């Protein structure tokens, strides 16, 4: 509703109706449409995270950069270090649901028996070939059989892949094999390094299948639908010819006309055309759904028509039923039947569908838009979204688009996949090409329209998974190598493709532009160093660290280990500076760097880095977190390589227990989170009793509304939680500190700093008295209050908190731990801001000693601390000492540069909130320093 206006009577009635419906979610919003849309987006995102993924939230983190350090963690891959694309997985789930959507079984019982016989047959047995013409029902048969197997044979592991249109992402062999391997790993509780090199991936898959099938208690069935649509299917799927493990069965479906010759010798299940009974059943089902009744005469005509191989086809008959059902609503069934009888195959029937959609449009403008929409979807890589269509064609209103999409979707021309509109069947696209796109010029014109659109997005720095998916592929199709090359050097495009696991695709683009691995690596590194020059501020530096890490991992996967070290080392430096040496993202950098040393067979270096990463992860998340399990697995694999089998086994057992516990917990959360949340809400809202559990619920609801940006409601719930906790538990209980902390974060968000200060101080007071001196919650409040003091300019009040942070780290890690040195540096920075260089000097000197003892005299952190000491000496007038310290710092930098490839020079510090020291013209001229 608009501000100052009441809802209409109808809206109020609707609200009353849905208020008590369990599965309804109501968002009561007053204000602009944009704010409402944003609120809905946030609400849906949180529902997905909490109710579907089972994420729990109890402590409220501030959303500004200062407040989120402790909780912001690296994007965690589901399977160790293997990159995983949620879009690809979602596309497969949707393809399966679409394939199994028909209510009619089409006489599949006889085929089900044959498929069941395959599963029961003694090994070894070659793959079973399910063949039939286009639209004969292969996908439907396989999806229905999968559902039956899942129901009746729960111990059988079924892995499926539905290949979409040729040249789409779903038809790329390396992605298919990687996905199947990862699904096997997931079910086998095995987390191991997996190559992303396409050739090696295909070569190693049979060994993975042998190894993982041995760990599975039961049968494994792998189903690939439309396998002949895979690019170079025979070459990339040659492992199918080799004998399969004894408990593995393979089923593949193919089009009769495009089945590779070598596969025709396999046992084959051929789908026959539908018989008259199935035809009648299918058409009746469509007509009944629209309350259309056919006469006996009409049924006889249909029976006579559907007798040839092309008119008994399952897709043809389904389409025919839909056309008749639509005609029944207007009362001209006989006329429509006559038109259908002129169509002897599915493509011509689709043309009739198109004509009927055209006739439903009001004018030539809408008909032209229909043509544009169908053509631009057809020439895309993976489809086009509705919002993209409206940006491509500003004259296309949402009302007209909704009408078009509804009609085309209803008549099986278009479907949705990952929110993109695409063709439901190849025959539909064939029809559109015949109708609208004569010659290559038409296809080139529409491709260019998409190229212009996504290029414009890149120029506006809008690099999404969509632009990364479409633009390089479109340039490849156009054969425009210079533009493809330029597009690949957009670091965010390449990062997007790589981080979603599209390694083979990225590699194929570079091969097309004629670059070998080494020159590709050099070009990426040069682009990244150039981009670094424009990076200022914490947020852009964190983003830069991600880019460096992506490049390092990409080079590692290419086997360029020497060139991979420099970007990974740079990523580590930046994260230590911009975040904190104990931040989880630093653990991520250490883990990746260790992986390079493992491949390099420098096991001692790798072990040290993995142990550091393990320690950070344990401190950040606790000892039983999946990220801890990842580091344990990595160390176990390292010990295995060194023949330290006993140590490896101990770590593996520990990791297995963590993963098992996490999986059980996540499973129960996935199943019961929605019910639990609803029950808790009802419990506290209707009964209103003062209990610790209800107070916790109120806190959780406050956090939820805060994350939805509904700060007013969040404040209400958080206040009620605090009041209830004070009544039930007493005002000095640690749970009260949590509520105070959350309210303070909310006021900080609203820039009500005085209120936030008071609440943080109360929370700190409670936690100092109630918790151990090294408790993470105490450290959390200390940090956020210190940051708030700095923000408010109350540096005198911030000092004791930074001193307390040093104490906490000393108690947690011991006085000689590098994280203590970082806390000392942060305190020294604060003293320098207050012009108290005398107090800063011993802090820097102590930090330097810890860094030297921990990492050696030539470590980058030592160099950065020497630079900071040089600044202090210069400002104190001791120019000789300043020059000496600066010289030592530069020697470390030069040694580091030589070590990691000669190109890793940096303008940025690498420890704590340190000062940068810049030289102008010569090393002896010192400029004024400032805080990073």
């Amino acid at each position: 509703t608009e501000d100052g206006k009441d809802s209409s009577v109808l809206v109020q009635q609707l609200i009353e109706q849905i208020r008590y419906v369990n599965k309804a979610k109501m968002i009561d919003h007053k204000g602009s449409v944009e704010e409402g849309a944003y609120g809905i987006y946030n609400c849906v995102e949180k529902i997905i995270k909490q109710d579907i993924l089972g994420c729990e939230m109890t402590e409220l983190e501030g959303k500004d950069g200062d407040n989120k350090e402790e909780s912001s963690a690296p994007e965690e891959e589901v399977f160790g270090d293997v990159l995983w694309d949620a879009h690809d997985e979602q596309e497969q789930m949707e393809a399966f649901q679409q394939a199994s959507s028909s209510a009619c079984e089409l006489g599949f019982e006889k085929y089900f028996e044959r498929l069941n016989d395959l599963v029961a047959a003694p090994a070894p047995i070659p793959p079973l070939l399910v063949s039939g013409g286009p639209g004969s029902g292969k996908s439907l048969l396989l999806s229905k059989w999968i559902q039956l197997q899942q129901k009746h044979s729960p111990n059988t592991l079924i892995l499926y892949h539905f290949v979409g249109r040729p040249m789409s992402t779903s038809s790329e062999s390396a992605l298919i094999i990687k996905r199947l391997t990862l699904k096997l790993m997931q079910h086998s509780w095995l987390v191991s390094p997996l190559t992303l090199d396409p050739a090696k991936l295909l070569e190693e898959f049979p060994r993975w299948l042998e190894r993982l099938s041995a760990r599975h208690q039961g049968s494994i069935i792998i189903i690939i639908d439309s396998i002949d649509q895979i690019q170079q299917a025979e070459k990339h799927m040659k492992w199918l010819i080799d004998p399969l493990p004894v408990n593995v069965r393979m089923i593949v479906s193919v089009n009769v006309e495009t089945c590779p010759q070598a596969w025709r010798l396999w046992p084959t299940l051929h789908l026959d055309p539908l018989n008259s009974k199935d035809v009648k059943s299918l058409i009746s089902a469509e007509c009944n759904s629209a309350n259309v009744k056919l006469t006996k005469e009409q049924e006889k005509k249909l029976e006579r028509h559907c007798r040839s191989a092309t008119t008994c086809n399952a897709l043809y008959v389904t389409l025919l039923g839909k056309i008749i059902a639509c005609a029944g609503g207007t009362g001209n069934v006989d006329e429509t039947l006559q038109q259908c009888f002129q169509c002897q195959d599915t493509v011509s029937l689709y043309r009739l569908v198109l004509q009927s959609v055209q006739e439903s449009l009001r004018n030539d403008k809408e008909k032209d838009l229909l043509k544009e929409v169908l053509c631009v979807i057809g020439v895309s890589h993976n489809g086009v979204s509705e919002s993209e269509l409206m940006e491509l064609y500003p004259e296309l209103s949402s009302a007209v688009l909704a009408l078009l999409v509804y009609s085309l979707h209803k008549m099986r021309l278009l479907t949705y996949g990952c929110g993109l509109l695409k063709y439901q069947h190849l025959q539909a696209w064939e029809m559109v090409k015949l109708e609208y796109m004569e010659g290559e010029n038409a296809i080139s014109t529409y491709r260019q329209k998409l190229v212009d659109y996504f290029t414009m997005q890149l120029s506006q720095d809008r690099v999404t998974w969509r632009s990364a998916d479409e633009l390089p592929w479109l340039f490849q199709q156009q054969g425009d190598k210079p533009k493809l090359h330029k597009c690949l050097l957009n670091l965010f495009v390449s990062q997007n493709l790589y981080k979603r696991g599209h390694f083979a695709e990225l590699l194929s683009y570079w091969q097309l532009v004629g670059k070998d691995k080494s020159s590709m690596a050099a070009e990426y590194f040069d682009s990244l160093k150039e981009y670094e020059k424009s990076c200022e501020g914490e947020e852009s530096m964190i983003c830069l660290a991600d880019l460096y890490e992506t490049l390092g991992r990409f080079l590692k996967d290419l086997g360029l280990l020497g060139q991979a070290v420099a970007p990974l080392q740079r990523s580590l430096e930046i994260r230590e500076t911009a975040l904190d040496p104990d931040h989880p993202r630093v653990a991520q950098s250490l883990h990746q760097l260790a992986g390079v040393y493992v491949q390099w067979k420098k096991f001692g270096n790798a072990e040290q880095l993995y142990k550091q990463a393990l320690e950070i992860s344990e401190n950040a998340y606790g000892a039983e977190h999946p990220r801890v399990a990842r580091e344990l697995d990595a160390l176990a694999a390292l010990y295995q390589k060194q023949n330290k089998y006993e140590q490896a086994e101990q770590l593996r057992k520990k990791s297995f227990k963590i993963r098992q516990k996490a999986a059980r917990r996540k499973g129960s959360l996935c199943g019961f989170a929605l019910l639990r949340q609803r029950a808790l809400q009802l419990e506290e809202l209707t009964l209103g009793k003062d209990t610790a559990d209800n107070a916790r619920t109120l806190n959780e609801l406050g956090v939820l509304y805060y994350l939805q940006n509904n700060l007013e409601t969040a404040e209400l719930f958080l206040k009620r939680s605090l009041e209830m906790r004070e009544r039930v538990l007493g005002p000095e209980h640690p749970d009260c500190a949590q509520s105070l902390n959350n309210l303070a974060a909310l006021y900080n968000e609203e820039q009500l700093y005085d209120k936030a200060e008071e609440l943080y101080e109360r929370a700190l007071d409670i936690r100092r008295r109630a918790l151990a001196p090294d408790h993470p919650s105490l450290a959390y409040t200390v940090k956020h209050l210190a940051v708030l003091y700095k923000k408010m300019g109350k540096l005198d009040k911030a000092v004791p908190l930074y001193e307390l942070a040093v104490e906490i780290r000393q108690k947690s890690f011991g006085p000689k731990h590098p994280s203590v040195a970082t806390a000392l540096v942060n305190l020294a920075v604060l003293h320098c801001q207050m012009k108290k260089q005398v107090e800063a000097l011993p802090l820097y000197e102590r930090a330097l000693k810890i860094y030297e003892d921990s990492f050696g005299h030539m470590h980058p952190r030592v160099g950065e601390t020497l630079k900071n000491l040089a600044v202090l000496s210069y400002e104190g007038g001791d120019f000789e000492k300043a020059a000496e310290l600066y010289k030592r710092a530069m020697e470390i930098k030069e040694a580091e540069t030589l070590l990691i490839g000669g190109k890793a020079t940096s303008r940025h510090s690498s420890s704590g909130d340190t000062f940068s020291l810049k030289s102008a013209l010569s090393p002896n001229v010192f400029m004024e320093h400032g805080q990073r």
Side-chain angles (χ1 to χ4, degrees):
T1 54
E2 293 178 27
D3 285 331
K5 292 186 180 179
D6 291 327
S7 305
S8 68
V9 175
L10 286 173
V11 171
Q12 289 173 356
Q13 287 174 354
L14 174 66
I15 289 170
E16 285 305 311
Q17 285 175 356
I18 68 167
R19 193 179 292 278
Y20 302 107
V21 178
N22 275 358
K23 290 187 179 179
K25 179 75 179 173
M26 186 170 71
I27 300 164
D28 194 4
H29 169 72
K30 291 182 180 175
S32 71
V33 173
E34 289 77 14
E35 288 171 353
Y38 182 70
I40 291 166
Y41 174 90
N42 278 322
C43 181
V44 173
E45 183 182 38
K46 296 301 166 278
I47 289 170
I48 290 168
K49 283 183 177 177
Q50 284 192 291
D51 300 337
I52 300 174
L53 300 178
C55 302
E56 287 190 323
M57 297 175 296
T58 54
E59 188 85 13
L60 196 156
E61 287 284 355
K63 285 178 277 187
D64 62 304
D66 288 333
N67 284 358
K68 69 184 179 183
E69 281 184 32
E70 294 293 336
S71 68
S72 62
E75 291 178 19
E76 181 68 14
E77 298 82 18
V78 183
F79 305 100
D81 293 322
V82 182
L83 299 155
W84 181 257
D85 189 358
H87 289 287
D88 292 347
E89 190 58 27
Q90 177 66 19
E91 185 179 45
Q92 285 304 307
M93 291 164 65
E94 290 177 0
F96 174 71
Q97 288 163 1
Q98 181 189 309
S100 58
S101 60
S102 173
C104 297
E105 298 294 344
L106 303 178
F108 281 164
E109 290 81 3
K110 59 184 178 185
Y111 302 131
F112 290 158
E113 287 179 22
R114 180 74 188 278
L115 290 166
N116 291 339
D117 290 342
L118 169 86
V119 176
I125 185 169
L128 177 71
L129 208 62
V130 177
S131 72
S136 58
K138 301 182 291 294
S139 303
L140 177 61
L141 167 67
L142 291 174
S143 59
K144 291 286 187 185
W145 184 71
I146 289 170
Q147 288 178 328
L148 286 173
Q149 285 292 312
Q150 288 172 337
K151 182 179 179 182
H152 298 301
S153 305
N155 290 332
T156 299
L157 173 59
I158 301 177
L159 307 177
Y160 59 79
H161 188 92
F162 289 81
V163 179
R165 206 177 71 179
M167 304 294 288
S168 68
T169 300
S170 66
S171 69
E172 290 177 13
S173 55
L175 280 177
I176 295 170
I177 295 301
K178 187 188 76 172
R179 179 177 172 271
L180 293 174
T181 307
L182 292 178
K183 298 295 269 184
L184 278 167
M185 287 168 70
Q186 180 187 19
H187 286 279
S188 306
W189 293 93
L190 184 69
V191 178
S192 296
L194 184 68
T195 179
L196 288 183
D197 185 298
K200 287 183 181 174
L201 196 62
L202 293 166
E203 182 186 315
E204 291 175 7
F205 180 69
R207 291 197 287 275
W208 276 109
L209 191 57
E210 185 75 49
R211 183 181 171 192
L212 296 169
S213 63
R215 297 170 68 100
H216 182 71
Q217 302 297 316
S219 300
I220 298 174
I221 301 171
I222 301 175
I223 296 168
I224 303 179
D225 181 49
S226 301
I227 194 171
D228 50 323
Q229 301 294 341
I230 292 173
Q231 299 158 30
Q232 296 180 293
E234 229 176 327
K235 174 187 172 185
H236 295 311
M237 296 290 155
K238 60 184 179 185
W239 55 271
L240 286 169
I241 298 169
D242 300 326
L244 297 166
V246 291
N247 61 334
V248 176
R249 299 292 179 272
M250 191 82 205
I251 302 171
V252 297
S253 76
V254 293
N255 190 332
V256 175
E257 297 154 11
T258 55
C259 177
Q261 194 63 40
W263 297 358
R264 293 176 187 265
L265 301 173
W266 294 342
T268 303
L269 174 62
H270 185 75
L271 268 60
D272 300 320
L274 301 183
N275 58 37
S276 56
K277 180 185 171 186
D278 291 333
V279 169
K280 185 178 179 180
S281 168
L282 199 50
I283 291 174
S284 297
E286 292 292 345
C287 291
N288 291 340
S289 66
N291 293 319
V292 174
K293 182 73 176 170
L294 297 177
T295 65
K296 293 286 184 188
E297 182 61 30
Q298 288 167 341
E299 285 180 353
K300 284 181 181 176
K301 287 180 180 178
L302 280 167
E303 190 180 337
R304 284 197 296 272
H305 174 67
C306 297
R307 283 182 176 171
S308 70
T310 53
T311 57
C312 288
N313 175 291
L315 176 58
Y316 181 96
V317 175
T318 302
L319 213 49
L320 187 60
K322 287 189 174 295
I323 293 170
I324 296 166
C326 288
T330 57
N332 56 352
V333 175
D334 285 322
E335 183 184 338
T336 302
L337 281 175
Q338 289 306 313
Q339 292 173 333
C340 290
F341 294 158
Q342 305 302 312
C343 305
Q344 294 300 314
D345 57 39
T346 307
V347 172
S348 55
L349 202 56
Y350 265 127
R351 186 179 282 115
L352 188 61
V353 168
L354 181 62
Q355 288 169 6
S356 70
V357 174
Q358 287 172 330
E359 288 165 9
S360 70
L361 301 176
R362 293 172 297 183
N363 51 49
D364 289 342
K365 181 185 172 186
E366 288 183 1
K367 290 175 183 175
D368 288 341
L369 286 170
L370 169 67
K371 173 186 173 183
E372 295 295 308
V373 166
L374 289 172
C375 292
V376 84
I377 289 171
V379 301
S380 67
H381 187 198
N382 287 313
V384 182
S385 73
E386 291 181 30
S387 58
E388 287 167 350
L389 286 170
M390 292 180 72
E391 288 181 353
L392 281 161
Y393 301 100
E395 68 275 23
L396 179 61
S397 70
S398 56
V400 171
L401 179 60
L403 176 67
L404 290 178
V405 171
Y406 173 77
S407 302
L408 297 169
H409 186 267
K410 180 182 175 184
M411 299 308 293
R412 298 287 180 98
L413 249 163
L414 297 181
T415 188
Y416 286 97
C418 289
L420 303 178
L421 286 163
K422 51 185 73 176
Y423 284 96
Q424 188 154 344
H425 294 281
L426 276 173
Q427 292 96 313
W429 172 228
E430 290 299 322
M431 178 275 296
V432 168
K433 282 196 288 188
L434 290 169
E435 196 71 11
Y436 289 139
M437 306 181 77
E438 290 183 13
E440 275 297 313
N441 284 343
I443 291 176
S444 297
T445 302
Y446 286 107
R447 279 199 180 132
Q448 189 57 46
K449 189 166 186 71
L450 283 175
V451 164
D452 294 342
Y453 170 72
F454 287 113
T455 302
M456 181 190 69
Q457 283 199 343
L458 287 195
S459 68
Q460 298 169 348
D461 291 331
R462 288 170 62 197
V463 182
T464 62
W465 69 278
R466 289 289 299 129
S467 48
D469 258 4
E470 293 290 334
L471 200 52
W473 183 85
L474 287 163
F475 286 138
Q476 182 193 48
Q477 297 304 304
Q478 289 180 329
D480 194 334
K481 293 181 183 180
K483 285 184 179 176
L484 174 58
H485 188 202
K486 184 182 176 185
C487 180
L488 293 173
L489 286 175
N490 182 312
L491 301 163
F492 294 98
V493 170
S494 296
Q495 182 189 47
N496 197 298
L497 283 169
Y498 175 77
K499 289 188 86 167
R500 288 168 42 232
H502 292 220
F503 180 88
E505 185 182 345
L506 187 55
L507 209 53
S508 69
Y509 293 145
W510 277 105
Q511 287 166 350
L512 183 68
V513 297
K515 299 286 181 180
D516 62 17
K517 291 178 181 180
S518 294
S519 57
M520 173 179 67
E523 287 192 35
Y524 268 139
F525 205 95
D526 290 342
S527 295
L528 203 41
K529 296 305 292 182
E530 192 62 33
Y531 174 77
E532 184 171 351
K533 293 175 184 176
S534 65
C535 289
E536 292 295 339
E538 184 179 292
E539 194 175 328
S540 63
M541 292 305 292
I542 292 169
C543 176
L544 177 66
D546 290 344
L547 287 170
Y548 270 117
E549 184 189 281
T550 302
L551 176 58
R553 295 179 69 171
F554 182 54
L555 298 179
K556 183 182 80 169
D557 289 331
L558 286 170
L560 302 173
L561 303 181
Q563 286 158 286
V565 171
L568 289 174
Q569 183 74 47
R570 186 72 191 110
S571 171
L572 174 62
E573 285 178 30
I574 295 168
R575 283 173 175 166
E576 287 176 336
T577 304
L579 297 168
D580 187 272
D582 299 320
H583 194 279
R585 282 187 181 270
V586 173
Q588 171 84 354
S589 290
L590 291 166
H591 181 94
Q592 296 303 333
L593 202 50
V596 175
Y597 285 125
V598 169
Q599 289 190 25
W600 231 342
K601 300 202 178 341
K602 294 186 177 182
F603 298 138
N605 300 43
E607 183 177 359
Q608 183 186 358
L609 293 170
Y610 277 140
K611 283 180 174 177
Q612 275 183 267
L614 176 62
E615 184 181 2
I616 293 171
S617 298
E618 284 179 333
N619 289 329
Y621 302 114
E624 295 193 335
H625 194 279
R627 289 189 176 98
V628 173
R630 182 179 77 155
E631 303 307 335
L632 292 170
D633 283 325
L635 267 172
L638 179 64
Y639 289 144
Q640 187 85 19
K641 287 179 186 292
Q642 296 172 280
N643 300 325
K644 298 176 180 177
Y645 301 116
E646 194 174 330
Q647 289 170 273
E649 189 58 28
Q650 284 176 349
L651 294 178
R652 280 213 180 91
K653 283 178 180 175
K654 194 173 175 185
S655 165
F656 183 76
K657 283 179 183 175
I658 294 171
R659 292 185 184 280
Q660 213 170 26
K661 191 172 180 181
R664 277 200 297 268
R665 181 171 166 275
K666 188 177 179 185
S668 63
L669 280 169
C670 288
F672 303 113
L674 184 59
L675 188 63
R676 170 181 167 274
Q677 185 188 345
R678 185 68 180 161
L680 285 168
Q681 285 180 16
L682 289 173
E683 183 182 355
E684 73 82 15
L685 291 172
T686 57
L687 300 177
K689 290 179 181 177
D690 282 4
T691 68
D693 281 348
N694 284 344
R696 190 187 72 248
T697 303
L698 286 165
N699 180 65
E700 287 177 353
L701 289 168
V703 174
L704 181 66
Y705 281 114
Y706 172 86
L707 290 169
Q708 292 170 357
N709 233 29
N710 189 340
L711 301 185
E712 191 178 337
T713 309
E715 183 181 2
L716 176 71
F717 278 113
L718 291 172
K719 277 183 171 177
R720 285 176 65 187
S721 170
L722 174 60
E723 289 163 5
M724 191 178 289
R725 280 173 165 169
E726 286 177 334
R727 284 195 299 271
V728 175
L729 304 169
E732 302 303 312
H733 194 278
D735 284 2
C736 294
Q738 185 190 62
S739 293
L740 288 165
N741 197 87
N742 288 346
L743 265 173
L746 184 141
Y747 290 138
N748 190 24
E749 174 83 4
E750 295 180 312
Q751 297 182 359
L752 301 171
Y753 298 132
D754 290 335
K755 281 187 171 184
E757 178 186 6
E758 180 193 348
L759 296 176
Y760 271 137
E761 285 175 345
R762 283 176 60 192
L764 178 60
D765 186 51
I766 294 169
R767 285 178 166 173
R768 285 180 87 160
R769 282 186 277 109
L771 302 176
D774 58 349
H775 196 283
S777 294
L778 176 60
Y780 173 91
T781 306
V782 167
K783 185 189 95 172
H784 288 292
L785 182 55
V787 168
L788 182 64
Y789 283 150
K790 278 179 73 177
K791 194 185 288 185
M792 297 170 75
K794 297 184 177 183
L795 301 185
D796 288 330
K797 293 183 100 174
V799 169
L801 291 180
Y802 274 98
E803 288 173 344
L804 181 57
V806 174
E807 285 178 35
I808 290 171
R809 292 195 180 188
Q810 285 183 154
K811 285 169 183 167
S812 298
F813 308 117
K816 296 182 179 179
H817 193 275
S819 66
V820 174
T822 303
L824 290 166
V825 167
N826 291 339
L827 180 57
V829 167
L830 192 61
H831 283 310
C832 287
Q833 278 187 292
M834 298 168 73
K835 308 299 181 190
K836 294 182 179 178
Q837 278 78 4
V838 175
E839 283 89 342
L841 182 61
L843 297 170
Y844 275 131
E845 288 174 341
R846 188 178 156 203
L848 177 64
K849 179 76 167 66
I850 295 171
Y851 283 143
E852 286 179 334
D853 290 346
S854 300
F855 302 123
H857 290 264
M858 298 301 286
H859 193 274
R861 289 195 205 175
V862 174
E864 296 294 347
T865 312
L866 286 167
K867 278 165 63 178
N868 293 325
L869 280 166
V871 171
L872 289 183
S873 298
Y874 178 77
E875 289 184 339
D878 191 344
F879 302 121
E880 190 176 338
K881 186 177 180 183
E884 181 192 335
L885 290 167
Y886 186 71
K887 183 183 176 186
R888 279 184 61 196
M890 289 302 98
E891 285 170 357
I892 292 170
K893 194 66 193 173
E894 286 165 14
E896 177 198 353
T897 303
L898 290 171
L899 175 68
I900 61 176
K903 290 189 178 180
T905 54
S906 161
R907 301 178 295 113
H908 295 281
S909 160
S910 70
S911 60
D913 300 332
T914 54
F915 293 104
S916 293
L917 180 146
K918 302 178 182 179
S919 61
L921 302 178
S922 79
N924 296 320
V925 183
F926 294 104
M927 306 295 289
E928 184 181 348
H929 65 269
Q931 188 184 8
R932 265 260 309 120

